[in-house]
Amino acid sequence: MHYYLFVNFKTYEEGTGEKALSLARLMASFNTGEVDIIPVCQAAGLLLISQSVPLRVFAQHADPVGFGANTGMILPESLKSAGAFGTIINHAENKRDNDFVKKAIGRCHGAGLKVMACAESLERARQIAKFSPDFLAIEPPELIGGDISVSTANPGLICDSVKEIRKINPQIIVITGAGIKSAGDVAKAIELGTSGVFVASGIVCAKDKEYALQTLLSGFPANKQSRSKAEP
Ligand code: G3P
């Protein structure tokens, strides 16, 4: 089984500009290959970060548009050429309807990007699974940014989502998000059947980011190597 630690830089100051690059470099220093550590960057920082660190980098959003007159939209091909490996769609802080999500997944796949779609509920996860994203993150909005993880507050939601999504499309990789702060939260997310976690404040806003990363990585099973920093 392969595991994932997605770190969403959002628009936090610590996830912007030079600070975003430092954070991505710190993440890369923990990259042992046991867990895929994925910075989820602001679009403006993608090119620099993707050229500076040996990690698969995701964008935070893409629009279902093609080349042409679409001022202000985020073109999937543009993300790809900036070095993105994939993108998030329908994050709780940038919600879209199913029509948008379906079209955006199709456009991103057409541009060669992986997609992690987010779902706020079991019902939404069922609907979005039919559009075959590569990853589906279950994130109850009320727990985002808090100190109680979804794996503790609502383990049933995670278990049920894993079961339902597998029935619809067993290829989809299910990820747990919202309020993940400790190694125990990560371990629980894996125990409930998901392949990793989607974290923001627990790392990006942590005073000691190195310690936060090390702590969360230690929650992955049999991840002895990533308990300490990788050799440069
Ligand atoms: O994108 C991940 C996110 O929404 C979870 O945020 O701060 O609860 O880890 P946070």
Side-chain angles (χ1 to χ4, degrees):
M1 175 123 177
H2 195 75
Y3 297 108
Y4 300 86
L5 171 61
F6 286 88
V7 181
N8 190 352
F9 290 16
K10 301 197 174 182
T11 56
Y12 287 124
E13 187 178 353
E14 298 291 295
T16 304
E18 286 295 324
K19 290 182 179 173
L21 181 58
S22 304
L23 176 55
R25 286 198 165 121
L26 178 65
M27 290 166 65
S29 72
F30 282 92
N31 187 28
T32 60
E34 300 291 313
V35 176
D36 221 334
I37 304 175
I38 299 180
V40 180
C41 303
Q42 296 169 22
L46 259 176
L47 182 62
L48 177 63
I49 291 174
S50 70
Q51 289 181 344
S52 308
V53 298
L55 297 175
R56 291 170 171 166
V57 177
F58 266 54
Q60 297 179 9
H61 176 75
D63 288 297
V65 295
F67 292 111
N70 299 291
T71 305
M73 299 285 181
I74 298 189
L75 175 72
E77 282 79 2
S78 164
L79 297 176
K80 182 72 183 170
S81 65
F85 186 75
T87 186
I88 306 304
I89 298 285
N90 193 45
H91 189 277
E93 291 150 10
N94 199 347
K95 281 196 275 188
R96 303 301 162 128
D97 63 21
N98 283 347
D99 184 50
F100 181 104
V101 173
K102 185 178 180 186
K103 284 184 188 147
I105 291 172
R107 277 267 44 246
C108 288
H109 283 165
L113 294 168
K114 301 283 182 196
V115 175
M116 180 155 81
C118 300
E120 66 278 21
S121 64
L122 179 57
E123 187 43 36
R124 195 77 198 283
R126 276 197 202 102
Q127 294 164 4
I128 292 179
K130 293 183 184 138
F131 310 145
S132 297
D134 305 279
F135 300 85
L136 220 167
I138 314 300
E139 286 207 313
E142 66 280 8
L143 297 173
I144 292 178
D147 287 327
I148 300 172
S149 74
V150 57
S151 39
T152 302
N154 199 348
L157 170 67
I158 304 299
C159 283
D160 293 348
S161 302
V162 170
K163 273 190 228 145
E164 292 296 310
I165 293 166
R166 285 213 178 114
K167 270 192 232 161
I168 295 165
N169 182 344
Q171 305 299 319
I172 297 173
I173 299 168
V174 186
I175 300 292
T176 301
I180 306 281
K181 295 282 188 304
S182 69
D185 294 337
V186 175
K188 187 79 183 163
I190 304 296
E191 190 189 309
L192 294 170
T194 61
S195 298
V197 291
F198 192 19
V199 180
S201 52
I203 291 176
V204 185
C205 303
K207 279 205 176 101
D208 187 340
K209 295 176 180 36
E210 182 169 341
Y211 178 76
L213 267 164
Q214 197 165 341
T215 301
L216 292 190
L217 284 166
S218 74
F220 287 91
N223 187 22
K224 294 190 188 85
Q225 277 176 296
S226 57
R227 284 170 197 260
S228 57
K229 252 178 128 172
E231 292 303 319

